């Protein structure tokens, strides 16, 4: 073998090695997926409630505005609802992948039983794909990829009663995708005097939403931005259905709070803040609390820095100027804008530090200094 | 000056210029993408691989006419002039392609590095082949082995020069401008070979740069860059109204700090390490403090910027010692401790009438009193050094490195370090640290890692507790400590902090310590075996740092992730495969046999060097500050080996000499592999061990130099059938790249330092046997 042929062979070997590397990558990926999908025994087999049957065994999901049309053995966008021979089934009924006892302020719900705890549960799956998701390891996976605990609605109520926890929170991932489980649990909890709160992105159709509102007590909606472009590019969803959801919740009389995660360079313009505030005042009420929360680099947006506190303060100032009575700053522990201020006398109605209530000056739903009624659900 | 002298000088210059360019661009790319060992190995491998390919390409040009060759040589010299523009444009390109903030997936940074190093490697790779071909072969003025010797001498000189210059000024651009000037001169000379008077530009440029440095040092206002201060590591700093940011390459990695008038975020190795104000507060220090009855002495190792020391000082009976080995962070901490910056203010000191009352608004300082205490001492030492000299009266030792990303930090999470800490704890003392855990879902890789930490902690301490949360806390206690997971007991122990607790206050502490969550985490951990982490087998934290980099599932991430699950024997086989195949080809082919020794030389040299680097860090500390010393020893050995090899080549002692040298190299590695495990376990004898590893590095450098020179000497009478300088040099570099990659990504993380050294020894046996067989069969000249 001369030098030329040696170099040629070397080149060919390198080429084969690169190609082989890709093949190995594919094989390893298959093995990895097989490994990841190792908890199949824990899936539920409960028929979903919001769908209609189409021709050829196809079903159309009627839970969220996405309206997935699903063929046999396929799943919807959320990955937790599957067409099994023309029957649409939820795979996560009573399959809880995350369960914690949190302060209600962590949700955040600032005007709902402050200082109490909430038994928080979630299943895998989500019907959007936010690039900043803080719980992507459970929301952006299928139920087989996480370890689930079997927790029936009765079990949830028992856990709450045993620990004297007054509220059940459906949170972390997107509760809309486990609507059936959430509804049944909330209804069961209501029988025993337990409250239910939903922490959601609000991407849900009217019928399931109205059904849900009949059994829950409060809803916190993540309004990710106030532009369709952002929803399309960053969230993989639509803005208008979320705005519709907000209106329905407000009209239903259930307690509503809005969280707006301020992501640097993406949804932090003055004009967007102004448009948001004007819409909330015009379409909902100036009494709806709006939380401007600080973004921390997460999931697919680790390339962005945390939101400067000054930006949050600017957003809050715009909200106050627009007329919102209860704008807050979130994820900045110790900031004075965590407190609830009486819109009449300006005194601190509820003093907070992080998730902790330092002082509560609200008595019988009114400011203890001037008697001004503070909207909310108080103890 | 004769042509021969000039050519010799040029070979030395190749070495000097190559090592300067390599160091500067290595720093630059690590600065852009993060400073872990994996990133370091990646950039170095790409450098060597591209340099090797340029060398092979240049060798192809040797067949062409003199005119083409000179033109090619001119282009190579001109590439030196492009180093500076390349250097300047890289951050801009990175910000366009990815983001100026934070890191990028390892697959992206590898792709970026491939393009970024295309120009800087031209000179280092192609000049040797072209220079030798242009001047050495035709005029018989200089041999390959002598050229290599001069090249390695240049490496050593360049290494020393850049170490000296960087330690004084840390100025990369001037060095690149200097290289550009000399590149222009060399280019002119390549075109007009007889114009030797241009040579005077070279020393003149050096003198000019030296004068500039002397002038800079002598200037009265240059105290901000004085030796020993963290500011000399700062490569980029901007200050505007109310905000400032800096980027630095400290000995412990890349530090980025972005601050405005209200918040400060510190990144270490492109990952957000602390954020003020943030939810990851300094209050977590209260958990280990609460598990010691009446704590008096607290030592916090590293991570000064997150405010733990400030919070602990609220306990007026506590003496706090903040140990910070990183000069940049220490410097920031010292600067800010007087001003209270980056620390959580006391709750009751805050005015709550509105946002305008924030105490730091409109000024740099935030809470001057917080750190301004006689009870706080700041120690500028490596934690191992600190603990070795500390008295055995510490009540709490807190290892403040959340998810170590380098070997130097990972060494604090080994059995040896825990044992050292145990010796320095009081009878009631505890050792504690946090690790990312996952509040909702913990991936299997993370469970493996946490379990390994638990296993290691349990092997040393009689009492161990794990407290779940987004960042789980692991606590190991002495017999007299009150290590517990009971929320009530912890709150009782933490009563001194009273109403000042925020996240670990009355609402949250019960949640975080809820029995259900503890049972859930322990139940999950029970399904994972875990491994005992020691300084010899650093796989735990190396794999952890890889996990952190590839968790977003980049293209190559799956391969990296899967490598973690390789059985040890298959990892060994995978690394030995290139050498084994090459050996097999060598037995069958004369040309492959000619390339085998130089490929082995490269493979052996870099893999041994990287493994010794890991071993050295286990006992000595950080990567970058020790890199020059260790590499310098290696280069001295390399130059010595090249000199010895040249002598033996001239005496035609290479028939079986080459295989004997290869066998001796294998035997040396075998001896080292047997010796090292015993030493690595003894941190008490670490200074002797440091010297031993430095000597070992020099010895391992001798063999590649010797083998290359002898191998080149065998082919001194160049013919078309024999390999030439460029192909030998290129194959040497390709071997280096393969060795570096194998050692960093496979051997070191999976089978540990000492066993990896044994694998290198086995590879020597393969190559030696093949060369012996070849010598008999092919009767090489």
């Amino acid at each position: 073998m001369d030098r030329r042929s040696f170099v040629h062979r070397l080149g060919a070997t390198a080429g084969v090695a690169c190609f082989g590397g890709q093949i190995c990558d594919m094989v390893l990926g298959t093995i990895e997926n097989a490994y990841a999908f190792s908890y199949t025994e824990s899936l539920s087999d409960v028929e979903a409630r919001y769908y209609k049957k189409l021709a050829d065994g196809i079903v159309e999901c009627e839970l969220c505005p996405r309206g997935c049309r699903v063929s046999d053995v396929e799943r919807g966008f959320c990955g937790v609802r599957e067409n099994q021979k023309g029957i649409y089934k939820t795979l996560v009924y009573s399959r809880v992948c995350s369960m914690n006892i949190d302060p209600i302020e962590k949700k955040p719900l600032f005007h709902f039983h402050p200082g109490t705890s909430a038994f928080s549960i979630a299943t895998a799956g989500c019907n959007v794909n936010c690039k900043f998701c803080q719980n992507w390891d459970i929301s952006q996976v299928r139920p087989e990829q996480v370890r689930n605990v079997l927790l029936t609605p009765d079990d949830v109520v028992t856990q709450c009663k045993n620990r004297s926890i007054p509220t059940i929170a459906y949170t972390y991932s997107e509760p809309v995708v486990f609507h059936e489980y959430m509804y049944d649990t909330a209804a069961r909890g209501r029988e025993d005097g337990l409250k239910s709160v939903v922490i959601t992105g609000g991407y849900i159709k009217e019928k399931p939403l109205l059904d849900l509102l009949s059994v829950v007590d409060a809803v916190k909606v993540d309004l990710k931005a106030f532009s369709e472009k952002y929803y399309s590019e960053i969230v993989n969803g639509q803005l208008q259905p979320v705005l519709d959801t907000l209106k329905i919740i407000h009209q239903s009389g259930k307690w509503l709070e809005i969280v707006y995660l301020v992501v640097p360079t993406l949804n932090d313009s003055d004009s967007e803040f102004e448009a948001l505030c004007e819409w909330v005042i015009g379409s909902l009420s100036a009494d709806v609390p709006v939380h401007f929360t600080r973004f921390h680099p997460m999931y697919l947006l680790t390339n962005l820095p945390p939101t400067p506190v000054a930006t949050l303060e600017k957003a809050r100032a715009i909200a106050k100027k627009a007329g919102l009575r209860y704008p807050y700053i979130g994820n900045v522990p110790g900031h004075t804008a965590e407190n609830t201020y009486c819109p009449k006398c300006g005194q601190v109605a509820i003093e907070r530090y992080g998730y902790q209530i330092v002082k509560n000056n609200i008595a019988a739903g009114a400011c203890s200094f001037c008697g001004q009624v503070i909207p909310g659900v108080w103890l | 000056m004769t042509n021969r002298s000039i050519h010799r000088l040029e070979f030395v210059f190749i070495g000097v210029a190559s090592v300067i360019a390599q160091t500067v661009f290595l720093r630059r790319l690590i600065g852009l993408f993060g400073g872990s060992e994996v990133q370091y190995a990646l950039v170095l491998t790409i450098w060597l691989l591209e340099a090797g390919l340029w060398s092979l390409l240049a060798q192809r040009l040797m067949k062409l006419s003199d005119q083409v060759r000179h033109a090619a040589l001119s282009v190579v010299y001109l590439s030196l002039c492009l180093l500076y523009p390349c250097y300047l444009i890289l951050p801009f390109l990175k910000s366009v392609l990815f983001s100026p903030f934070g890191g990028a997936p390892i697959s992206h940074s590898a792709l970026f590095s491939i393009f970024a190093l295309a120009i800087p490697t031209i000179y280092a790779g192609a000049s040797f082949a072209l220079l030798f071909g242009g001047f050495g072969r035709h005029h018989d003025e200089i041999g390959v082995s002598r050229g290599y010797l001069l090249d390695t001498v240049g490496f050593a000189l360049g290494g020393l020069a850049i170490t000296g210059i960087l330690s004084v000024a840390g100025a990369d651009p001037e060095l690149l401008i200097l290289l550009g000037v000399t590149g222009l001169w060399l280019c002119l000379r390549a075109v007009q070979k007889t114009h030797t008077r241009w040579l005077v530009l070279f020393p003149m440029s050096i003198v000019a740069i030296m004068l500039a440095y002397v002038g800079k040092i002598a200037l009265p206002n240059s105290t901000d860059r004085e030796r020993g201060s963290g500011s000399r590591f700062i490569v980029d700093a901007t200050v505007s109204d109310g905000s400032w940011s800096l980027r630095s390459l400290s000995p412990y990695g890349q530090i980025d700090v972005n601050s405005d008038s209200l918040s400060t975020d510190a990144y270490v190795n492109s990952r957000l390490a602390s954020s003020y104000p943030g939810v990851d507060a300094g209050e977590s220090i209260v958990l280990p403090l609460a598990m010691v009855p009446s704590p008096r002495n607290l030592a916090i190792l590293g991570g000064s910027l997150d405010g733990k020391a400030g919070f602990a000082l609220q306990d007026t009976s506590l003496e706090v010692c903040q140990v910070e080995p990183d000069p940049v962070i220490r410097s920031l901490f010292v600067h800010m401790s007087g001003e209270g910056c980056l620390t959580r203010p006391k709750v009751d000191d805050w005015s709550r009438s509105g946002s305008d009352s924030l105490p730091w608004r409109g000024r740099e300082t935030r809470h001057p009193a917080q750190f301004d205490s006689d009870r706080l001492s700041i120690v500028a030492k490596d934690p191992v050094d600190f603990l070795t000299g500390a008295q055995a009266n510490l009540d709490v030792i807190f290892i403040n490195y959340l998810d170590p990303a380098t070997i130097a930090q990972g060494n604090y999470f080994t059995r040896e370090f825990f044992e050292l800490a145990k010796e320095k704890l009081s009878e009631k003392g505890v050792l504690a640290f946090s690790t990312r855990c996952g509040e909702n879902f913990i991936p299997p890789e993370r469970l493996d890692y946490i379990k390994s930490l638990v296993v290691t902690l349990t092997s040393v301490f009689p009492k161990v507790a794990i407290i779940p949360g987004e960042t789980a806390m692991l606590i190991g206690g002495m017999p007299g400590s009150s290590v517990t997971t009971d929320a009530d007991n912890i709150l009782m122990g933490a009563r001194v902090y009273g109403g000042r607790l925020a996240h670990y206050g009355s609402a949250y502490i019960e949640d975080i310590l809820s029995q259900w969550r503890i049972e859930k985490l322990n139940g999950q951990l029970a399904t994972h075996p875990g491994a005992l982490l020691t300084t010899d087998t650093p796989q735990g934290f190396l794999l952890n740092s890889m996990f952190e980099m590839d968790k977003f599932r980049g293209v190559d991430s799956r391969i990296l992730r899967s490598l973690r699950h390789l059985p040890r024997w298959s990892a060994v086989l995978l690394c030995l495969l290139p050498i084994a195949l090459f050996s097999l080809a060598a037995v069958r082919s004369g040309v492959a046999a000619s390339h085998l020794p130089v490929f082995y030389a490269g493979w052996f040299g870099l893999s041994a060097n990287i493994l010794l680097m890991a071993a050295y860090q286990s006992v000595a500390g950080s990567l970058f500050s020790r890199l020059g010393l260790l590499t310098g020893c290696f280069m001295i050995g390399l130059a010595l080996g090249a000199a010895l090899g040249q002598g033996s080549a001239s005496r035609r002692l290479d028939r079986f000499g080459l295989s004997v040298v290869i066998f001796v190299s294998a035997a040396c590695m075998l001896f080292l592999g047997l010796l090292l495990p015993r030493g690595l376990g003894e941190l008490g004898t670490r200074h002797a061990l440091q010297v031993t590893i430095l000597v070992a590095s020099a010895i391992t450098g001798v063999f590649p130099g010797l083998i290359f020179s002898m191998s080149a000497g065998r082919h001194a009478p160049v013919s078309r059938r024999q390999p030439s300088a460029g192909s030998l040099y290129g194959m040497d570099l390709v071997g280096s790249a393969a060795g570096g990659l194998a050692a960093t990504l496979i051997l070191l993380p999976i089978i540990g330092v000492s066993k990896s050294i044994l694998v290198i020894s086995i590879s020597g046996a393969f190559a030696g046997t093949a060369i012996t067989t070849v010598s008999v069969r092919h009767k090489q000249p």
Side-chain angles (χ1 to χ4, degrees), chain A residues 1-4 6 10 21 25 28-29 32 35 97-103 106 135-138 145-147 163 172 294 296-297 299 302-306 308-310 313 331-336 339 341 348 351-353 355-356, chain B residues 60 63 99 101 260 262-263 265 267 272 275 277-279 283 344 347 350-352 354-355 357-358 361 439-441 444 501-503 506 508 511 516-517 520 524 551-552 555 558-559 561-562 582 589 591-592 595 720-722 727 731:
Chain A
M1 184 166 62
D2 61 5
R3 189 177 67 245
R4 177 187 291 266
F6 174 75
L10 196 68
D25 191 39
L28 289 170
E32 185 186 72
Y35 173 71
C97 69
S98 183
M99 172 169 55
N100 292 310
I101 304 163
D102 292 334
K106 192 180 174 186
N135 292 310
W136 61 274
D137 44 9
I138 56 170
Q145 292 175 279
V146 293
R147 200 176 293 275
R163 297 163 198 272
Y172 302 135
R294 191 174 191 220
H296 279 269
Y299 190 34
T302 52
N303 57 329
L304 292 177
V309 181
E313 294 192 327
N331 282 348
V332 189
H335 198 290
T336 50
N339 300 334
Y341 294 94
V348 178
E351 185 178 353
R352 299 183 181 85
Y353 189 101
Y355 307 137
Q356 191 180 15
Chain B
R60 303 282 298 180
K63 294 178 185 172
S99 162
F101 307 105
D260 61 22
L262 292 169
S263 66
D265 307 302
Y267 297 79
L272 187 64
S275 183
V279 288
E283 288 94 332
R344 176 177 299 282
V347 179
W350 279 38
S351 168
R352 295 184 169 278
S355 61
S357 68
L358 286 170
R361 176 177 281 280
E439 197 169 20
N440 297 313
F441 173 70
L501 285 175
H503 298 292
S506 57
Y508 200 46
D511 160 45
W516 182 83
R517 294 181 71 191
K520 176 185 165 190
Q524 286 178 306
K551 66 183 174 185
F552 297 123
V555 175
R558 194 178 289 146
I559 295 175
R561 205 162 44 247
S562 303
F582 219 137
S589 155
V591 174
H595 285 103
R720 277 190 67 81
R721 298 286 302 168
Q722 292 302 321
S727 64
M731 199 51 70

Side-chain angles (χ1 to χ4, degrees), chain A residues 76-117:
Chain A
F77 180 89
C78 58
V80 300
R81 306 167 92 80
E82 185 174 285
N83 181 351
Q84 295 177 0
K85 296 178 180 172
I87 308 292
Y88 204 39
K89 292 190 173 175
T90 170
L91 307 176
V92 290
Y93 191 94
S94 299
R95 267 59 177 180
V96 171
C97 69
S98 183
M99 172 169 55
N100 292 310
I101 304 163
D102 292 334
I104 197 80
E105 283 75 15
K106 192 180 174 186
K107 303 296 114 190
L109 281 169
F110 278 12
H111 290 228
F112 185 90
H113 290 193
T116 62
S117 296

Side-chain angles (χ1 to χ4, degrees), chain B residues 482-554:
Chain B
S482 50
V483 172
T484 177
T485 53
D486 183 81
D488 292 335
N489 285 342
I490 292 176
L491 279 174
M492 196 178 295
R495 62 187 178 281
V496 66
Y497 302 97
R500 288 173 181 159
L501 285 175
H503 298 292
Y504 291 86
S506 57
Y508 200 46
I509 202 164
E510 284 164 9
D511 160 45
I512 215 162
L513 299 176
S514 72
Q515 197 59 35
W516 182 83
R517 294 181 71 191
I518 291 168
E519 286 168 8
K520 176 185 165 190
L521 180 58
N522 285 331
Q524 286 178 306
L525 288 176
T527 61
H528 290 256
L532 187 67
L533 303 176
T534 70
T535 50
D536 182 42
T537 51
Q539 59 264 44
F541 37 82
L542 260 183
L543 294 180
N544 182 50
S545 64
M546 283 188 195
F547 171 70
E548 283 306 310
M549 274 187 284
D550 68 10
K551 66 183 174 185
F552 297 123
R553 304 180 181 181

Side-chain angles (χ1 to χ4, degrees), chain A residues 47-300:
Chain A
E47 185 173 2
R49 287 174 197 163
Y50 303 97
Y51 76 99
K52 67 180 175 190
K53 295 182 179 178
L54 304 176
D56 300 327
I58 297 173
V59 300
E60 182 177 315
C61 184
E62 295 182 317
L63 182 59
C64 84
R66 209 169 277 283
C68 300
R69 290 192 172 192
V70 186
S71 302
D72 189 21
V73 303
E74 289 187 348
R75 294 188 191 179
F77 180 89
C78 58
V80 300
R81 306 167 92 80
E82 185 174 285
N83 181 351
Q84 295 177 0
K85 296 178 180 172
I87 308 292
Y88 204 39
K89 292 190 173 175
T90 170
L91 307 176
V92 290
Y93 191 94
S94 299
R95 267 59 177 180
V96 171
C97 69
S98 183
M99 172 169 55
N100 292 310
I101 304 163
D102 292 334
I104 197 80
E105 283 75 15
K106 192 180 174 186
K107 303 296 114 190
L109 281 169
F110 278 12
H111 290 228
F112 185 90
H113 290 193
T116 62
S117 296
F119 190 78
S120 308
I121 52 176
T123 74
C126 184
N127 57 354
V128 289
N129 175 222
C130 304
K131 289 182 169 53
F132 48 78
C133 184
Q134 297 190 2
N135 292 310
W136 61 274
D137 44 9
I138 56 170
S139 69
Q140 302 302 322
V141 298
R142 295 197 163 200
E144 302 93 321
Q145 292 175 279
V146 293
R147 200 176 293 275
N148 299 311
V149 176
L150 181 64
L151 205 68
T152 64
D154 283 341
D155 293 336
V156 174
V157 172
T158 307
Q159 290 279 352
C160 290
K161 301 294 280 183
N162 289 347
R163 297 163 198 272
S164 304
I165 298 169
T167 306
I168 306 167
Y170 311 92
T171 178
Y172 302 135
S173 54
E174 174 50 66
V176 167
V177 304
F178 58 92
H179 187 285
E180 294 81 2
Y181 176 53
M182 174 166 57
Y183 180 90
D184 291 353
T185 307
R188 174 69 186 82
R190 180 161 284 199
E191 290 172 11
D192 279 37
L194 296 174
K195 305 281 185 187
S196 280
V197 297
V198 184
I199 285 68
T200 175
Y203 205 53
I204 183 171
K205 282 192 172 178
E206 185 174 352
K207 172 79 169 62
L209 175 62
L210 288 172
D211 288 348
L212 184 66
L213 289 172
S214 67
V215 291
V216 302
D217 302 277
V219 184
K220 186 221 78 179
V221 175
D222 285 308
L223 183 57
K224 321 276 182 182
F226 204 68
S227 74
E228 286 288 358
K229 184 172 182 287
Y230 183 95
Y231 262 86
S232 165
E233 293 176 0
I234 307 295
V235 178
N236 197 356
Q238 296 169 286
L239 171 64
Q240 192 53 49
V242 180
L243 299 181
D244 294 341
T245 297
L246 286 166
K247 285 181 187 172
I248 294 169
I249 296 169
H250 183 65
Q251 286 161 7
S252 74
K254 300 295 179 182
W255 183 246
L256 169 68
E257 296 193 22
I258 296 173
V259 164
Y260 186 96
L261 183 74
V262 182
V263 183
T265 72
L266 297 181
N267 66 352
D268 60 347
S269 67
D270 290 5
S271 58
E272 200 165 346
F273 292 144
E274 286 161 3
L276 163 77
C277 297
E278 283 170 17
W279 184 86
V280 171
I281 293 167
S283 304
L284 306 176
S285 160
D287 284 338
V288 174
V290 177
H291 304 252
F292 296 98
T293 55
R294 191 174 191 220
F295 161 83
H296 279 269
M298 196 66 78
Y299 190 34
L300 300 176

Side-chain angles (χ1 to χ4, degrees), chain A residues 1-18:
Chain A
M1 184 166 62
D2 61 5
R3 189 177 67 245
R4 177 187 291 266
S5 58
F6 174 75
V7 171
H8 287 169
R9 285 188 187 189
L10 196 68
T13 309
V16 169
C18 289

Side-chain angles (χ1 to χ4, degrees), chain B residues 293-316:
Chain B
S294 307
R296 290 287 174 272
N297 295 297
L298 162 69
I300 301 173
L301 311 182
S304 310
L305 297 183
D306 66 358
K308 284 191 176 63
F311 195 84
L313 284 171
Q314 292 180 16
D315 183 347
T316 53

